[in-house]
Amino acid sequence: MSQVIDKAKSAFKAKFNTEPTMSAYAPGRVNIIGEHTDYNGGFVLPCAIKYGTGIAARENGTNKMRVLACDINNDFDEFEIGADIPKHPDKLWVNYLRGMTGLIAKKYPGKVKGLDLAICGDIPQGAGLSSSASLEVSFGHLVSSAFELGIALQDVALMGQAAEAYIGMKCGIMDQTISACGTADHALCIDCRSLKLTQVPVPSNLVVMVINSNVKHQLVGSEYNDRRESCEKAAKIMGVELLRDADLALLEKFKDQMDEVTYRRARHVITEDERVLKAMDAFAKGDLAVLADLMYQSHLSEKNDFEIVVKETDALVEIVHKTLGEGKHAARQTGGGFGGSIVAVVEPENVQKVTDAINAQYKAISGLDATIFETKACNGAQFARL
Ligand code: GLA
């Protein structure tokens, strides 16, 4: 955390020729289990990772946000503050900020003033680790704190989700909520309908590893929204508001009224919700054997029913599986899918074994090097006056 904030502070000084007066930070996330359940009103179990987005800022006395993006080749953009801010035609990164600013300005008319901002992050982009949610939450928390708007962290998360919709990504609430509300050494079980949060301690006998396939996923595309539409279609056919309200018995009852793809999409979500609740319990107890089975089932369901697994992430899961054997690891593709990372929960003495096996085998399968890191569960969004 401190590294990206320090980088943002120096970049701020170099760009704006003055000292920043505040900073903010929000982490990325890795999802332990519960994929594509959030927008179906179901359950998820993510934790905040050690990488995130840092911002250094200062009021600039204008009605404009002036933003330096250190990680996008020091790209710069400025835009007028107001309730209806047009999207930039080709700079996706700034549209997250335009979206957030518009939402906050609409809710708090006249309160948001111009800021100079320098933004630096260290979450690998396209890795399924929520770099965009961390940007939205870090910025939203900064604006709320700078102008004493007192927006609750869960509401900052909801605004982040709305900013994604402004851009065209109809995502759920998981990524922004964990980025805003994560607690050190805990995963967070989110009931995505009631938005009730339950902290689940990371057991001391286990380590969370993230293995990035380096196959970039880009979710502002049709695949994600397509999956969501199939889920909505299945819920409609079964006469329930959300797939959260369905169980397998109901799904079987309506099987004949659905096309085969819609049926399988719904089966993934319904079975995944059940797995999250069981996994939450196994995780809290440090019961690796039970967690291993649930996470492997989750991976297979993502692969066969939801069809969001690519061959590279599948290969990574299989390497971990073969290296440690049944019950000795819990691994699955994490995040929105179509590339990105896998998450593996293992005993500390097995981290090296997994790392060596991936380094030895993955390139021959994919032509790529994987990036591997261990992470503690970290705190969510933070703000400081400097
Ligand atoms: C993306 C979305 C989340 C969630 C996951 C899949 O990360 O932003 O809301 O739907 O995909 O679980």
Side-chain angles (χ1 to χ4, degrees), residues 133-348:
S134 96
L135 172 61
E136 292 145 16
V137 170
S138 180
F139 178 71
H141 188 46
L142 179 113
V143 173
S144 165
S145 310
F147 305 112
E148 295 176 353
L149 306 178
I151 309 175
L153 285 169
Q154 278 195 270
D155 291 329
V156 172
L158 286 165
M159 285 175 165
Q161 183 190 23
E164 294 274 354
Y166 160 90
I167 287 159
M169 162 83 180
K170 292 165 75 183
C171 69
I173 192 60
M174 165 170 70
D175 305 349
Q176 292 79 6
T177 303
I178 181 65
S179 178
C181 306
T183 303
D185 302 321
H186 290 74
L188 185 66
C189 183
I190 309 168
D191 176 332
C192 298
R193 170 137 71 193
S194 68
L195 298 183
K196 181 171 173 263
L197 308 181
T198 309
Q199 304 285 350
V200 185
V202 177
S204 53
N205 62 325
L206 298 176
V207 173
V208 177
M209 294 178 79
V210 177
I211 303 157
N212 179 1
S213 69
N214 284 315
V215 175
K216 298 240 179 227
H217 84 156
Q218 174 57 277
L219 283 183
V220 186
S222 63
E223 293 283 17
Y224 183 93
N225 292 346
D226 271 6
R227 294 299 183 284
R228 185 169 180 153
E229 266 170 38
S230 295
C231 293
E232 285 163 2
K233 185 170 160 193
K236 203 165 167 206
I237 292 171
M238 290 188 282
V240 293
E241 189 201 344
L242 292 162
L243 285 183
R244 157 80 177 269
D245 302 313
D247 57 17
L248 280 180
L250 190 73
L251 181 66
E252 288 310 312
K253 214 170 124 195
F254 284 91
K255 184 174 182 182
D256 295 344
Q257 296 178 39
M258 284 178 204
D259 61 86
E260 197 256 336
V261 169
T262 307
Y263 168 78
R264 282 192 286 113
R265 302 291 187 257
R267 185 167 63 184
H268 164 73
V269 174
I270 292 169
T271 55
E272 184 78 348
D273 266 334
E274 288 171 7
R275 286 186 288 268
V276 179
L277 295 176
K278 290 183 190 154
M280 190 174 137
D281 192 46
F283 193 67
K285 288 184 186 142
D287 188 338
L288 185 55
V290 172
L291 189 68
D293 183 48
L294 292 163
M295 283 175 64
Y296 195 51
Q297 293 310 321
S298 166
H299 180 73
L300 293 178
S301 177
E302 289 185 271
K303 179 177 161 184
N304 301 323
D305 277 355
F306 219 62
E307 294 178 288
I308 56 170
V309 172
V310 296
K311 78 169 194 324
E312 292 84 355
T313 48
D314 196 37
L316 287 172
V317 168
E318 290 307 325
I319 294 171
V320 180
H321 203 60
K322 283 191 197 116
T323 306
L324 298 184
E326 201 99 343
K328 284 305 223 177
H329 70 282
R332 52 179 285 281
Q333 180 185 277
T334 187
F338 311 104
S341 303
I342 73 159
V343 56
V345 181
V346 302
E347 285 158 336

Side-chain angles (χ1 to χ4, degrees), residues 30 49-51 124 129 208-212 341 371-375:
V30 62
I49 57 173
K50 63 183 179 182
Y51 298 129
L129 302 173
V208 177
M209 294 178 79
V210 177
I211 303 157
N212 179 1
S341 303
T371 314
I372 306 172
F373 65 92
E374 248 180 77
T375 186

